[in-house]
Amino acid sequence: MSKTYNIAMIGGGFMGKAHAAAYAAMPMFFWPAPGIPHRKVLVDLNAASAEEGRQRFGFEEASTDWRAVVARPDIDIVDIVTPNDSHAEIAIAAAKAGKHIICEKPLARTVEEAKAMLDAVQAANVIHMVAFNYRRTPAVALARKYIEEGRIGKILNFRGTYLQDWSADPNGPLSWRFSKKIAGSGAVGDIGTHVVDMARYLVGEVASVNAMTQTYNKTRPLQSGGVDKLGASDKSGHGPRGDVDVDDEVLTMMRFENGAIGSLEATRNAYGRNNYLTFEIHG
């Protein structure tokens, strides 16, 4: 009989829905499951949104106090699905409480935050991971299998892209994803990080990079109502606007430790591309 693990999910927004669906479906696809995830507690900013998330995502309890939930002895795993500026604080507290941790990408806003998180989980000897969900895509798993079997020989180059258009319209609202203080970076951390993960997972560690970034839309309409809206929501060119201080696009050339070379492109301003994540590897 598989052990049941109680999950505390911190954050009930867009990615919270994706994580909740994955917990519900995992035993159906990976049976016999190595463990059964139990959706124990959903934590959100206020009581109303927490209770709505609890009902919608199938959790047993709702809470607004992540610190109290992380400290509970009946919680086994803490799932961090919050804006980027709170990842480090929650993860470090969870590690000190002896909880296993899954954290949404980007892991942190800075190298210093990421290093502090790594130090905390290593000191606590807990299992920890970043939610790079595309690793589990069947095509990626097959590519990894071919590479490990040596079927393409020595890897020569990698080409990866992640193209989206949800923020191409300059009248899309000023989400927290456009604020460096909260997000840390723009396309680099939001979607470029997925391509970096593909490169590291399939080719190996990166030895050196040469990159440039570009910001196309310098301001966006301020939001109201307290609910963060992505750029794909209603557009409005009226009313006050706020500054955007993160990148919209990144282009990178890479050299890997194994001698392979590569390129990476990530943008949220590619009209006509909704969710275009691709890679090519030549050997």
Side-chain angles (χ1 to χ4, degrees):
M1 193 70 179
S2 298
K3 179 180 176 180
T4 296
Y5 294 90
N6 286 335
I7 311 291
M9 191 169 76
I10 319 299
F14 174 74
M15 285 309 299
K17 177 172 65 175
H19 286 220
Y23 288 131
M26 187 276 283
M28 304 177 197
F29 290 94
F30 300 94
W31 189 262
I36 303 297
H38 176 60
R39 287 160 285 170
K40 185 68 175 179
V41 187
L42 185 284
V43 181
D44 215 338
L45 291 173
N46 57 65
S49 59
E51 176 57 23
E52 180 182 349
R54 182 197 70 79
Q55 295 182 38
R56 184 181 184 190
F57 302 148
F59 279 77
E60 186 178 313
E61 302 175 30
S63 174
T64 59
D65 188 347
W66 69 260
R67 292 177 178 82
V69 170
V70 162
R72 284 173 45 166
D74 61 336
I75 297 300
D76 301 300
I77 299 170
V78 173
D79 185 0
I80 304 170
V81 199
T82 60
N84 308 343
D85 59 339
S86 58
H87 288 184
E89 182 182 12
I90 298 172
I92 292 169
K96 289 180 178 178
K99 313 303 181 185
H100 305 302
I101 301 165
I102 178 170
C103 183
E104 258 303 326
K105 38 57 59 181
L107 180 63
R109 296 173 297 175
T110 64
V111 171
E112 291 76 18
E113 282 186 345
K115 181 62 164 58
M117 296 166 76
L118 179 62
D119 290 344
V121 295
Q122 289 180 334
N125 194 31
V126 295
I127 297 171
H128 53 96
M129 68 176 291
V130 186
F132 284 124
N133 52 307
Y134 291 112
R135 281 194 179 194
R136 305 305 180 192
T137 303
V140 176
L142 184 62
R144 170 89 171 193
K145 179 175 182 290
Y146 285 160
I147 290 168
E148 289 181 336
E149 291 175 351
R151 294 173 65 174
I152 68 168
K154 178 183 177 181
I155 295 177
L156 302 177
N157 62 65
F158 168 92
R159 181 185 300 112
T161 69
Y162 203 161
L163 314 180
Q164 297 179 344
D165 64 359
W166 65 266
S167 69
D169 192 320
N171 290 322
L174 186 69
S175 164
W176 62 262
R177 290 168 175 80
F178 300 111
S179 168
K180 186 174 183 178
K181 181 180 179 180
I182 301 175
S185 64
V188 172
D190 189 23
I191 56 177
T193 183
H194 279 294
V195 190
V196 172
D197 185 59
M198 288 294 97
R200 294 180 63 234
Y201 184 56
L202 297 172
V203 180
E205 294 299 334
V206 177
S208 59
V209 300
N210 183 0
M212 64 179 178
T213 61
Q214 180 83 351
T215 302
Y216 298 110
N217 301 312
K218 307 293 186 181
T219 66
R220 290 185 177 275
L222 296 176
Q223 299 187 69
S224 59
V227 177
D228 187 76
K229 297 178 181 178
L230 297 178
S233 60
D234 294 339
K235 312 297 191 298
S236 174
H238 307 290
R241 302 176 71 91
D243 293 333
V244 173
D245 59 359
V246 299
D247 55 283
D248 287 321
E249 181 165 349
V250 57
L251 291 171
T252 302
M253 294 185 294
M254 303 180 289
R255 185 177 298 279
F256 295 86
E257 290 182 354
N258 60 13
I261 60 174
S263 65
L264 179 158
E265 177 185 6
T267 177
R268 302 184 294 200
N269 284 62
Y271 274 113
R273 294 297 189 186
N274 295 129
N275 198 49
Y276 190 72
L277 173 58
T278 71
F279 64 83
E280 290 184 10
I281 299 174
H282 297 267

